[in-house]
Every structure is written in structure tokens, then in C-alpha cells.
Amino acid sequence: MKFKNIKSMVVALCATALISCETTSETFAEFSTIPEVIYIGKADSVMVSHGYEELELGIRFNSDPKITAGMVLIDGTDSSKFEITRKNDGVDTAYHKFAIPEGQYSLAVYMLDDDGNKSVSKEVAAISYGPNYQSVLLARKVNSVSIASDSLSVKWATADPVSGIVSSQITYPDASGSTVTVVVPNDETETKIGDFQAGRTLEVQSFYHPTESAYYDFPSEVDEHAIPE
């Protein structure tokens, strides 16, 4: 009787072991079909520079050799992709310039490998500047235009650097009738011109950067001033 009980217990244990093995095999097979996750190094930092309805991103990324491209997701919908050619084996920087209408945006920057695997995103807010910004820009104020000792004197009001003004220019006809343009730096308070035509008109225009990282000179409206007789 005891022998039969022992025999039954052995059969039961074998059956349990067999079921356990089958379950383990099935579980392994199930997990083995899950695709391997490929991790790509993310962007360390993103610097935004501004053009006219255009942005340029300076994207600093790590030494992950799998990184061969990047992608910018704009407000979670539109995307702009770019290729990366490494210049350094370690930390490197890629630059990507793309057109974008004037407005405020939320950008998500991803790094990619050759198979399209992407990194965790690097989020950055950005503003694109265009015609609306440019429409409110004013030419640097001129305090006076006068002739003294056969020279034309243009005296300037102080240029406010906080406004983003980077320089100004005056355009006028010389004695022969040719058009001449002179660049006026912000710190210049008086511009003297020896070769000009009296009784004509000179034009003043200024140029602005909305941010310190802007690479486009946004022109102001043009102001006209009479040259005395």
C-alpha cells in the first residue's frame, strides 16, 4: 500500500515538473519575441539663434557613436530632420537651420541612429521673428541736420541698446549725384559729410537684433530728412 502511495507521488511530481517546464519554455518564447530596445544618447543642450522667419539650432550631444541624425518636432506635429556628420569623437555640436513662420513654438529635439531609433527628447521653447516684429522698428532719431564750414553735420539721439538696435545707416547723394551709404555705429553722436548735394534728401534706417543670438539684421522703417540749401 505504501509502495502504491509513493508511486503516485512520484507520478504527480513528474507531471508538475513537466507542466512547469512547459510554462517556462512558453514564457521564454513569449519574451524572446519582444524587440530589443535600442537607447540613443540625447541632446545635452540646445541653443536657439534667430533669422527672419527662420531658426538655427546649435545642438550639443554626447559621444554615442550610434548618433547619425536628428529630428525637431514642432508643437508635437510638424517635424524637421537633419543629418549629422561628426567632427569630434567625443562631445560634438550639430547645427540645423529651418524656415518657420513668425510665432512662439515648443520644440522637441531627438537624436537618431541609422535605423530610426530615437533618443529621449530635449525640450526647448523658441520664438520666430518676422514681419510683425519688423513693422514696429524705428529708425534712430536724428536731432539735427545742418551745414557748417561746407560740411553736412548729422547729429544723433542716443541709441538705446536695450531696444536691440545694432547699427544705423544714412543714404544721400554726393556732389556728382551718385548714391552713397554710410554705416553709423551706435556710439557715434555726430556724422560729418564733406561731399553732398545741398537741397536734397538723406535717408536714415536702423537695424535690430531681437536677441543676442540673432544672425539676421532686421531693418527699420526709413526716415527722410531734408539737406539744407
Side-chain angles (χ1 to χ4, degrees), residues 14-103:
C14 290
T16 301
L18 182 60
I19 293 172
S20 177
C21 289
E22 289 179 351
T23 303
T24 302
S25 299
E26 290 172 357
T27 302
F28 177 78
E30 178 181 334
F31 278 97
S32 67
T33 61
I34 298 176
E36 180 185 2
V37 177
I38 306 298
Y39 294 96
I40 308 299
K42 65 174 290 187
D44 294 331
S45 63
V46 179
M47 185 183 74
V48 182
S49 300
H50 304 87
Y52 185 90
E53 291 194 308
E54 184 178 76
L55 295 176
E56 182 178 59
L57 305 184
I59 304 162
R60 186 177 173 85
F61 55 95
N62 64 27
S63 58
D64 184 349
K66 297 187 297 297
I67 296 174
T68 57
M71 179 180 72
V72 181
L73 196 62
I74 304 167
D75 284 345
T77 54
D78 297 332
S79 63
S80 176
K81 293 184 178 180
F82 56 97
E83 294 183 356
I84 290 177
T85 301
R86 278 190 175 274
K87 300 180 289 293
N88 303 301
D89 292 334
V91 176
D92 209 340
T93 302
Y95 294 91
H96 178 49
K97 185 182 292 185
F98 56 98
I100 185 169
E102 187 172 27

Side-chain angles (χ1 to χ4, degrees), residues 86-134:
R86 278 190 175 274
K87 300 180 289 293
N88 303 301
D89 292 334
V91 176
D92 209 340
T93 302
Y95 294 91
H96 178 49
K97 185 182 292 185
F98 56 98
I100 185 169
E102 187 172 27
Q104 298 185 22
Y105 297 92
S106 176
L107 308 179
V109 179
Y110 296 89
M111 311 313 293
L112 308 175
D113 66 7
D114 285 335
D115 297 321
N117 297 303
K118 64 182 181 180
S119 69
V120 175
S121 67
K122 178 69 174 179
E123 308 288 334
V124 60
I127 299 176
S128 175
Y129 297 90
N132 292 329
Y133 168 76
Q134 184 175 320

